Every structure is written in structure tokens, then in C-alpha cells.
Amino acid sequence: MSNQHKPPTISFRSSDAERKQIEARILASGMMKKDYFVRSCIYNRISVVGKKETIYPLVQTVNALYLQLLEMQKAFVGYYQNQNPDNLPTSNEITELQTNYNNMLSAIIELLEGAKYLWAGEHHETK
């Protein structure tokens, strides 16, 4: 049993009022807490105002993913030039990079959709 790894835990702090609201929503949903939190985090729309502090970490993450992709490209080009299979990325590395790209791009698209919604609302109100 001690050799088994548990998945990482996600936790956060909330005020008493926020906790009571969350608990009420969980009760009303009829779901287990874990399922409610996972679905809330993945599927709820969050509107984020684009500012330097918000955008810069996204740019850094996308850049890091891009650099990983370039390294894999170099490995494939090197393989075709030198026929050296030792430098090729593993299937797991490719799958992990693909998952990271999909997750990050989905998050960015959702943030942009939220920003578009906010911008449209603000733009409409100023007319």
C-alpha cells in the first residue's frame, strides 16, 4: 500500500458564506463533492479580464509547449537525416505534449470566449 501513489489534491480557501453557498449547490446537485468540484472547474464559464498579470503566464506556458514541440521536430528531422532512432520522442512524451497542448488551448479559448462576452456587454452598454 505504501508504494501506491494517490492523485494530487486540489484545495482552496473560502469564506464561511462562500462555503455555505457551495455546500448548498452541492446538495442541490445531488452529486458527490468530488464530482461537483471537478465538473464545476472544467465546465463552468469563467470570465477573466485580460491584463498583464493574467496574460503573461499563459504566454510563458504556450511558449514552453512550443519549445517542446520544436525539440520533437528536431528529433524527427534528425531521425530522417541520420536514421538514429535513439533520439526520437517516446509515444508517452508525444501523448503528454498533445494533452498539454489540448488543455492549454482549451483554457485559452474559454478565456477568450469569456473576454469576448464581457467586451460585447461593455461595448453594448456604451452605445
Side-chain angles (χ1 to χ4, degrees):
M1 276 287 188
S2 62
N3 290 336
Q4 293 180 349
H5 297 285
K6 292 182 179 181
T9 299
I10 298 174
S11 62
F12 60 94
R13 297 185 190 279
S14 64
S15 69
D16 284 340
E18 290 168 330
R19 185 185 55 75
K20 288 175 183 176
Q21 285 180 322
I22 293 168
E23 293 288 344
R25 288 179 178 212
I26 292 170
L27 184 62
S29 75
M31 299 170 69
M32 293 176 50
K33 272 188 182 182
K34 176 187 93 55
D35 295 331
Y36 181 87
F37 285 127
V38 168
R39 289 185 186 179
S40 290
C41 289
I42 293 173
Y43 299 113
N44 275 341
R45 177 177 293 236
I46 304 296
S47 297
V48 177
V49 176
K51 56 184 180 177
K52 184 178 177 182
E53 294 81 12
T54 305
I55 301 300
Y56 188 68
L58 292 175
V59 171
Q60 286 182 306
T61 303
V62 170
N63 191 46
L65 292 171
Y66 175 70
L67 293 175
Q68 282 182 288
L69 188 59
L70 283 179
E71 288 299 315
M72 286 187 179
Q73 178 194 18
K74 288 178 190 175
F76 282 115
V77 169
Y79 170 75
Y80 285 112
Q81 290 174 349
N82 306 324
Q83 297 295 313
N84 184 2
D86 295 333
N87 293 334
L88 286 177
T90 65
S91 177
N92 286 343
E93 289 172 328
I94 294 170
T95 300
E96 182 178 351
L97 182 60
Q98 180 182 12
T99 300
N100 290 340
Y101 257 101
N102 287 343
N103 289 341
M104 179 52 64
L105 292 176
S106 294
I108 290 171
I109 289 168
E110 288 174 16
L111 290 175
L112 292 174
E113 285 291 323
K116 180 176 78 174
Y117 175 75
L118 282 177
W119 184 83
E122 290 171 2
H123 184 69
H124 181 68
E125 290 173 7
T126 59
K127 286 186 175 180

